[in-house]
Amino acid sequence: MKLPSIWLWFLLLVLTWAMLNGKINTFGPTLMRLDGAGTIQRMLTYDPDTYFDIGGGVHAGPDLAWLGRYAPTPESLKAADHEALIAAVVADSGKFGTNDDEWTAVPELKTQPTVTRPAKAFAKNSAELRNGVVSVPEDGGRDIIVAAYVEGRWAFTIVRGNACGTMVGPVVKPCSDETNSDGRWSNMVVSTINTLKAKE
């Protein structure tokens, strides 16, 4: 009782334990649980309810808040059309890489996407997201990004050669699933999508 600083340290330890175990989340950032190995998977995150609404039932942190200006519209691709788009981009990328002048599968699609450069994907072609926007890098870049509205929701797919990965939206075969079911965004997904951000 003569040493109040000991009680303060004890209170701090109890509060820290409670935060780490999810008992307290009414103030500050919520700390994620420890995994089986005892390491912290992701030290700090924010409650998904406080994320920015970017449309289509999806929330994102401040790095992707700009997507909210281009929220998905009901006018969008059907799932089958989106699958055909991804398959065509993968086929052309596997044969011709990023040399889109030689592509043959994409020009044969029933619903024609817009093929453009990353800097123009949203800045000049955001209205075309309903049919899909294929962002082809220049200057030696390898990653092609397909952005689209699919059934009123966001869809982002990365294509490199004859391989692809679904970052957001419906997973298309044979693409790998890079989405997170808990709504978190990986650093790779955030940095990849941000290459499409219009310069201000």
Side-chain angles (χ1 to χ4, degrees):
M1 297 297 293
K2 294 181 179 179
L3 300 174
S5 61
I6 292 176
W7 292 105
L8 289 174
W9 277 108
F10 178 75
L11 178 62
L12 181 62
L13 286 171
V14 170
L15 288 174
T16 303
W17 175 86
M19 288 178 68
L20 286 172
N21 286 279
K23 307 294 184 190
I24 299 176
N25 60 8
T26 56
F27 63 91
T30 304
L31 290 174
M32 298 299 288
R33 68 181 184 279
L34 299 178
D35 65 17
T39 59
I40 297 178
Q41 292 178 339
R42 188 173 174 139
M43 272 302 288
L44 296 175
T45 188
Y46 294 94
D47 185 343
D49 292 336
T50 66
Y51 278 11
F52 292 88
D53 184 354
I54 61 171
V58 180
H59 295 84
D63 290 340
L64 292 177
W66 62 273
L67 284 172
R69 297 193 302 260
Y70 310 98
T73 62
E75 187 180 0
S76 55
L77 290 172
K78 293 186 168 131
D81 293 329
H82 180 243
E83 288 181 10
L85 170 59
I86 300 304
V89 174
V90 169
D92 281 338
S93 174
K95 289 179 184 175
F96 308 107
T98 57
N99 189 1
D100 55 287
D101 290 334
E102 297 183 11
W103 286 7
T104 57
V106 170
E108 293 177 358
L109 289 169
K110 178 179 69 173
T111 302
Q112 276 298 296
T114 298
V115 180
T116 187
R117 299 297 178 207
K120 297 179 181 178
F122 281 82
K124 305 273 185 185
N125 300 290
S126 61
E128 300 306 317
L129 286 164
R130 64 184 186 272
N131 296 323
V133 174
V134 181
S135 170
V136 182
E138 49 191 346
D139 301 328
R142 296 184 301 165
D143 294 338
I144 298 167
I145 304 168
V146 182
Y149 300 153
V150 179
E151 297 182 347
R153 295 186 170 271
W154 282 111
F156 288 94
T157 307
I158 187 168
V159 178
R160 180 183 292 174
N162 56 5
C164 58
T166 299
M167 298 184 290
V168 179
V171 180
V172 178
K173 295 180 181 179
C175 297
S176 62
D177 185 354
E178 303 297 331
T179 64
N180 281 319
S181 60
D182 61 1
R184 290 182 299 116
W185 297 73
S186 72
N187 290 335
M188 182 274 290
V189 169
V190 171
S191 60
T192 301
I193 293 175
N194 271 333
T195 62
L196 308 178
K197 185 178 180 181
K199 292 183 179 178
E200 299 174 352

